[in-house]
Amino acid sequence: MIHDNTEFTVTPWKVEGNIDYNKLINQFGTERISNSILNRLEKVTGDIHFMLKRGVFFSHRDLNKILDWYENNGKFFIYTGRGPSGNTHVGHLIPWVLTKWLQEKFGVNVYFQLSDDEKFFANKDATLKSTYQFAYKNAIDFIALGFKPDNTKILINTKNANNLYPIACKIAKKINLSNIRAVFGFTNDTNIGMIFYTAMQSAPCFIEDKPVLIPLGIDQDPHFRITRDIAPKIGKIKPSIIHGMMMPSLTGINTKMSTSIKNSVIYTTDIPNIVKKKINKYAFSGGQSDIKLHREKGGNPSIDIAYQYLRMFFEPNDMKLKKIHDDYTSGKLLSGELKQMTIKKINDFLSSHQKNREKAIEKIDEYMIK
Ligand code: TYM
């Protein structure tokens, strides 16, 4: 467990405080995504996704090794997931959009795990029925991003236990209580479902007999630190991982967007007026207190939530983003104007995503592992 009293906490179940991503790289023992690895990736894929270029994906484990494998042996596969505790928010889409891009570039299979068991164990009020229902709702958002059923498979843990449990058993036998305690800080009150769960999240890493690449938000890394430790013990290659930053809450960069935090979230199902209201009312502004001062001093994009949403996800065009950045910093662009631009960008994205969701609902069974 990483807990820095003065600053931040990052675990799979709690992200709090102003995350210092440089510190996190040291604390977690990951590697920064350097320019040289980006150049290498670009050579293989032909271009580079804006979220990689802008450092939204900033850290990795063994990305070089998976590229070596690809160049020498061919296909690997990709694995990512979602813990179905509620509706999907736009922050969840960050690793999934990169997953889609990587799948297209490398032409590989994708597995998507819905850990309904995890959310049942972790949340006091959750029922197995509610987490199972959210699993289907979340799957719709994943499919809506354009994944195809011939090379994308979805696993719901309680439903696909027959595929996952035998692998999880092999993993569980190599993890002891003190390993789990050291990583997650569990106590005597922690239910044993939580203690076993890492084995279930690890299982899809070995579902094909090939190396795996896992795109995820950095909060999920601790599970895979354990997976990587045990991989050689069960005769498997350590998973490679690519880590994304957490999309911040509407209310400010010191909190992550999370279904469990009030007023922090934009859901993928939000209608235009709701998005407008949320951004206008809650999105923390890096602008000055009045127009005169703003024109003089300019705004601060690094803490401005509307700007950060554009940078991390909603404005893929680098030139447009730069102009917004420069105009905001110089005071030419006001906070209210930046918010209106952001509302439009989010609503344009959501309007097409919501149409794709409708189509996805009908196709969901094609993606489920039988
Ligand atoms: P979950 O449901 O919390 O999140 C799903 C994915 O979204 C990432 N994420 C975010 N990314 C950016 N900004 C945010 N505000 C934000 N909130 C969440 C998470 O890091 C994750 O990648 N235990 C997992 C489910 C899971 C999984 C996996 C995730 C099962 N197998 C394999 C990644 C890879 C969970 O509860 O994720």
Side-chain angles (χ1 to χ4, degrees), residues 11-13 15 21 56-57 79-96 111-119 138 155 157 197 200-202 204-205 214-221 223-224 241-242 244-249 255-259 264-265 309 312:
T11 79
W13 297 288
V15 177
Y21 287 101
V56 177
F57 283 85
Y79 158 47
T80 193
R82 157 84 178 130
S85 54
N87 288 322
T88 308
H89 62 59
V90 292
H92 297 131
L93 303 182
I94 291 182
W96 306 348
Y111 292 83
F112 185 67
Q113 178 177 53
L114 287 153
S115 53
D116 58 338
D117 53 345
E118 174 197 6
K119 293 298 157 179
N138 297 162
L155 296 145
N157 285 3
Y197 171 69
M200 284 300 277
Q201 182 151 328
S202 302
C205 295
I214 313 172
L216 44 61
I218 185 115
D219 62 331
Q220 294 298 317
D221 181 76
H223 286 296
F224 297 109
I241 306 174
I242 177 159
M245 292 183 171
M246 308 312 290
M247 185 178 267
S249 156
T255 321
K256 77 159 179 170
M257 182 178 283
S258 163
T259 24
S264 77
V265 174
Y309 287 0
M312 292 184 81

Side-chain angles (χ1 to χ4, degrees), residues 111-335:
Y111 292 83
F112 185 67
Q113 178 177 53
L114 287 153
S115 53
D116 58 338
D117 53 345
E118 174 197 6
K119 293 298 157 179
F120 173 67
F121 296 139
N123 300 340
K124 204 167 76 322
D125 298 328
T127 62
L128 274 178
K129 190 171 171 204
S130 70
T131 55
Y132 190 74
Q133 282 169 344
F134 277 126
Y136 268 87
K137 286 193 180 167
N138 297 162
I140 292 168
D141 285 291
F142 186 74
I143 295 169
L145 295 174
F147 292 96
K148 300 284 177 288
D150 48 337
N151 57 2
T152 307
K153 291 295 163 213
I154 297 177
L155 296 145
I156 303 180
N157 285 3
T158 59
K159 186 175 175 218
N160 300 111
N162 56 335
N163 303 95
L164 296 174
Y165 192 63
I167 315 175
C169 287
K170 288 186 197 160
I171 296 161
K173 201 170 178 178
K174 302 288 178 198
I175 308 174
N176 63 35
L177 190 53
S178 71
N179 303 145
I180 289 284
R181 273 222 180 104
V183 174
F184 298 114
F186 289 158
T187 61
N188 280 353
D189 317 334
T190 307
N191 69 61
I192 62 170
M194 292 288 280
I195 293 164
F196 178 76
Y197 171 69
T198 292
M200 284 300 277
Q201 182 151 328
S202 302
C205 295
F206 310 116
I207 201 161
E208 286 193 17
D209 202 13
K210 289 185 193 127
V212 65
L213 174 62
I214 313 172
L216 44 61
I218 185 115
D219 62 331
Q220 294 298 317
D221 181 76
H223 286 296
F224 297 109
R225 226 178 295 154
I226 295 177
T227 321
R228 283 171 52 85
D229 280 350
I230 60 106
K233 298 182 189 164
I234 57 167
K236 301 288 182 188
I237 299 171
K238 291 184 179 194
S240 296
I241 306 174
I242 177 159
H243 305 100
M245 292 183 171
M246 308 312 290
M247 185 178 267
S249 156
L250 280 162
T251 53
I253 50 165
N254 287 357
T255 321
K256 77 159 179 170
M257 182 178 283
S258 163
T259 24
S260 57
I261 303 170
K262 207 170 155 249
N263 301 333
S264 77
V265 174
I266 293 178
Y267 291 108
T268 59
T269 46
D270 281 349
I271 57 170
N273 262 338
I274 296 285
V275 172
K276 184 172 169 193
K277 201 175 126 197
K278 285 183 175 174
I279 295 284
N280 282 333
K281 190 163 173 192
Y282 301 117
F284 186 84
S285 167
Q288 302 295 339
S289 53
D290 63 58
I291 293 186
K292 188 167 169 282
L293 208 60
H294 188 88
R295 294 279 186 228
E296 262 168 50
K297 293 196 160 172
N300 179 357
S302 66
I303 56 165
D304 191 285
I305 290 299
Y307 178 79
Q308 288 305 319
Y309 287 0
L310 294 177
R311 182 184 78 84
M312 292 184 81
F313 195 80
F314 291 104
E315 181 50 84
N317 184 309
D318 290 332
M319 303 272 280
K320 286 189 186 163
L321 187 74
K322 183 170 187 313
K323 180 155 170 39
I324 293 167
H325 177 275
D326 294 351
D327 287 353
Y328 195 53
T329 313
S330 75
K332 190 172 162 200
L333 184 68
L334 300 174
S335 173

